[in-house]
Amino acid sequence: MLRKLSVAAVAAFMLCLFSMLPSSHAQEELGTPDEAKALVEEAIAYYKDVGREASFAEFSNPKGKFVRKDLYVMVLDTEGTMLAHGFNRGLVGKNLSNLKDVNGVQIVVEMIRVSLKAEGDWVAYSWPHPQSKKLEPKKTWVKRYDKLVFGVGVYDKTRS
């Protein structure tokens, strides 16, 4: 029972947190799907070059080179634990495998499942938009490398 409460609390916290992105993000142009895919590839290349510790530190730096427009890199292990997050360092180290959107999509579970595809793919779900604060369609490009899930999300105007 306590585990279920903590997972529900994490989910509620994340929905609340992401609905209140800083106003500096609200004024910026939103990233595109092609930019999200390119940022994942760049993150994987950086991980290969500098290793786990240095790359995760850079990915988790909100003012670092892996945060562009409203795009940021996140990295999960295959158990659902956040290892790096470009917007919220407070999520690093937390297992988010039970996180669901309002439609019941198990976001992190889907990211892990989809990342098993060799070339990566999109995971679609609903998430608060940084400008409107309303739930909108979002999709995250995920790709697996070295038993890790790398992802970058964009708001999906094609589904709205």
Side-chain angles (χ1 to χ4, degrees), residues 2 13 16 41 52 57 70 73 77 87 89 109 111 125 159:
L2 183 57
F13 168 76
C16 182
E41 294 302 324
R52 184 180 180 111
D70 67 330
V73 172
D77 68 17
F87 177 70
R89 288 184 212 165
V109 169
M111 288 179 179
Y125 52 97
R159 294 189 320 140

Side-chain angles (χ1 to χ4, degrees), residues 19-71:
S19 70
M20 299 184 297
L21 283 173
S23 58
S24 63
H25 284 281
Q27 301 302 321
E28 294 177 14
E29 177 185 351
L30 298 177
T32 67
D34 286 342
E35 290 169 327
K37 289 169 87 171
L39 193 54
V40 167
E41 294 302 324
E42 188 178 330
I44 291 171
Y46 188 76
Y47 172 86
K48 289 176 184 177
D49 286 344
V50 303
R52 184 180 180 111
E53 188 175 331
S55 64
F56 288 2
E58 186 62 30
F59 300 155
S60 295
N61 178 358
K63 299 192 184 292
K65 60 183 167 185
F66 289 92
V67 177
R68 300 179 191 149
K69 300 179 185 178
D70 67 330
L71 304 177

Side-chain angles (χ1 to χ4, degrees), residues 90-108:
L91 297 176
V92 175
K94 296 193 183 329
N95 185 292
L96 304 173
S97 60
N98 290 323
L99 180 65
K100 294 181 183 180
D101 76 357
V102 296
N103 300 310
V105 174
Q106 292 183 288
I107 300 168
V108 172

Side-chain angles (χ1 to χ4, degrees), residues 37 41 114-122 141-144:
K37 289 169 87 171
E41 294 302 324
V114 168
S115 73
L116 296 175
K117 296 180 180 180
E119 296 301 315
D121 207 344
W122 293 104
W141 179 258
V142 293
K143 186 170 182 177
R144 186 170 182 227

Side-chain angles (χ1 to χ4, degrees), residues 71-157:
L71 304 177
Y72 55 86
V73 172
M74 63 181 166
V75 182
L76 297 156
D77 68 17
T78 55
E79 300 299 315
T81 300
M82 189 68 67
L83 302 175
H85 196 284
F87 177 70
N88 182 358
R89 288 184 212 165
L91 297 176
V92 175
K94 296 193 183 329
N95 185 292
L96 304 173
S97 60
N98 290 323
L99 180 65
K100 294 181 183 180
D101 76 357
V102 296
N103 300 310
V105 174
Q106 292 183 288
I107 300 168
V108 172
V109 169
E110 279 299 297
M111 288 179 179
I112 294 166
R113 185 187 66 75
V114 168
S115 73
L116 296 175
K117 296 180 180 180
E119 296 301 315
D121 207 344
W122 293 104
V123 173
Y125 52 97
S126 294
W127 203 252
H129 189 279
Q131 294 173 342
S132 70
K133 312 292 190 233
K134 295 179 182 176
L135 287 175
E136 292 194 19
K138 187 171 184 176
K139 62 184 181 181
T140 295
W141 179 258
V142 293
K143 186 170 182 177
R144 186 170 182 227
Y145 177 78
D146 197 22
K147 298 182 182 176
L148 300 170
V149 180
F150 291 76
V152 175
V154 297
Y155 286 89
D156 186 3
K157 294 301 180 186

